[in-house]
Amino acid sequence: MTAEAVTQEMTTPSLPDWVFPPPEGFVAEDLDHIPDLPAHTELIDGSLVFVSPQASFHMRMLSLLEFELRRFAPSTLKVRREMSIILGPNQRPEPDVSLIRAEAAHGDETFYQAADVVLVIEVVSPESRVRDRERKPQLYAQAGIAHFWRVEQQEDRPVIYVYELDPATRAYALSGIHHDRLKLTVPFDVDIDLSEIDQL
């Protein structure tokens, strides 16, 4: 071995084994068993997806939605932030916020099943735009999750796109676009002043 090769070997950090997926891709259960996996890693189409550092808008929007949904949600539902959902053997995304059936909350779970989820919310970031606008809604709809909200930042203001599942096509239909106030009656009565993000 040449001196140059020895030097390169000494200075190049070795990559963990999980960086290299198996030929058939990862499965949902793998996320609970891979050592030292970065927090909030998602599984989409059998591939690991890592989360980039989030901007202030993203985090403030999550805080606002989490607080307001806890205020309005009935006792039969629980609000969860950044918890993964198993949608299929090779699909385990982590929505920014989700509402689950209360009976699915046991206190020590690391994921939820799609059948226990009523609503998922994605706050779009530049690096996740295609996933949040296209692939993840497809997966949520195919898994039968009835409600999906997508939050976008437009000129420093939040805009929420609200979708409902068409059970005949298993695809989402847009039911409203909300700029200043989010006022809905499904999946429960909610009235959120979106300008409150400025106070956070």
Side-chain angles (χ1 to χ4, degrees):
M1 185 179 287
T2 66
E4 183 179 328
V6 170
T7 302
Q8 184 173 3
E9 188 175 291
M10 290 172 56
T11 58
T12 304
S14 61
L15 297 173
D17 291 340
W18 52 258
V19 169
F20 308 100
E24 67 282 2
F26 290 104
V27 296
E29 292 77 16
D30 289 337
L31 268 65
D32 289 323
H33 306 292
I34 298 173
D36 303 319
L37 193 66
H40 308 298
T41 299
E42 299 182 279
L43 182 69
I44 298 178
D45 300 325
S47 296
L48 300 176
V49 178
F50 306 108
V51 178
S52 299
Q54 298 298 335
S56 172
F57 171 85
H58 187 277
M59 300 312 293
R60 288 182 294 128
M61 196 69 226
L62 288 187
S63 295
L64 176 64
L65 289 172
E66 182 181 20
F67 175 79
E68 293 291 346
L69 289 174
R70 287 189 198 285
R71 201 160 64 92
F72 285 105
S75 60
T76 55
L77 298 175
K78 299 291 183 185
V79 179
R80 293 294 181 262
R81 180 170 167 169
E82 299 169 327
M83 287 288 293
S84 62
I85 300 170
I86 294 182
L87 306 177
N90 300 99
Q91 312 292 354
R92 188 172 163 181
E94 184 182 283
D96 290 314
V97 179
S98 55
L99 268 82
I100 62 161
R101 301 182 200 288
E103 59 267 25
H106 306 293
D108 60 351
E109 59 272 3
T110 59
F111 61 85
Y112 297 104
Q113 298 289 341
D116 293 318
V117 182
V118 173
L119 165 69
V120 288
I121 304 171
E122 296 288 357
V123 179
V124 177
S125 298
E127 58 87 23
S128 67
R129 187 172 287 119
V130 172
R131 288 193 306 276
D132 291 343
R133 288 179 174 176
E134 298 176 21
R135 187 61 179 139
K136 290 172 85 172
Q138 290 171 347
L139 294 171
Y140 295 143
Q142 290 165 3
I145 297 174
H147 301 275
F148 171 67
W149 300 352
R150 190 183 81 243
V151 183
E152 302 260 358
Q153 181 180 9
Q154 293 181 4
E155 298 178 355
D156 295 324
R157 308 303 307 158
V159 178
I160 300 184
Y161 297 80
V162 174
Y163 297 85
E164 289 185 48
L165 184 66
D166 179 341
T169 61
R170 285 187 89 80
Y172 286 124
L174 181 67
S175 60
I177 302 174
H178 304 264
H179 292 266
D180 301 312
R181 187 170 218 91
L182 179 67
K183 189 170 185 178
L184 303 170
T185 57
V186 291
F188 49 85
D189 289 337
V190 62
D191 187 356
I192 302 174
D193 180 357
L194 299 179
S195 71
E196 287 294 317
I197 191 172
D198 295 332
Q199 308 305 314
L200 300 176

